[in-house]
Amino acid sequence: MRVHIGGDHAAFDLHQDLLAFLAQEGHEVVDHGPFGYDALDDYPVFVLRAAEAVRDDPESLGIVLGGSGIGEQIAA
């Protein structure tokens, strides 16, 4: 299964853990960022990229992560 994932800085550690776990489970993981921790990165632009990728790839799934989950869910 192809899985698109994106988040913000508040969920960076979980994001990294999920990347490793999903790959280990045999999934094709597409990481839309963030690619490094930045404490000022709290707008979910990476979530938008993941959501758009799922929209354009209907047989895939998506995971969006953030601190509150509210802005990320609205963006997705």
Side-chain angles (χ1 to χ4, degrees):
M1 170 65 59
R2 187 170 23 266
V3 180
H4 297 274
I5 185 169
D8 71 6
H9 78 279
F12 183 75
D13 292 336
L14 176 59
H15 183 136
Q16 298 307 303
D17 291 343
L18 280 172
L19 290 173
F21 174 78
L22 291 168
Q24 181 180 26
E25 293 295 308
H27 297 285
E28 177 187 346
V29 183
V30 182
D31 185 6
H32 294 274
F35 305 107
Y37 180 78
D38 179 353
L40 300 178
D41 171 28
D42 61 357
Y43 185 77
V45 66
F46 305 113
V47 168
L48 295 172
R49 293 177 186 156
E52 290 169 345
V54 172
R55 178 198 63 205
D56 296 339
D57 185 7
E59 294 184 16
S60 67
L61 296 176
I63 298 173
V64 296
L65 304 164
S68 70
I70 298 168
E72 295 80 13
Q73 301 310 315
I74 292 170

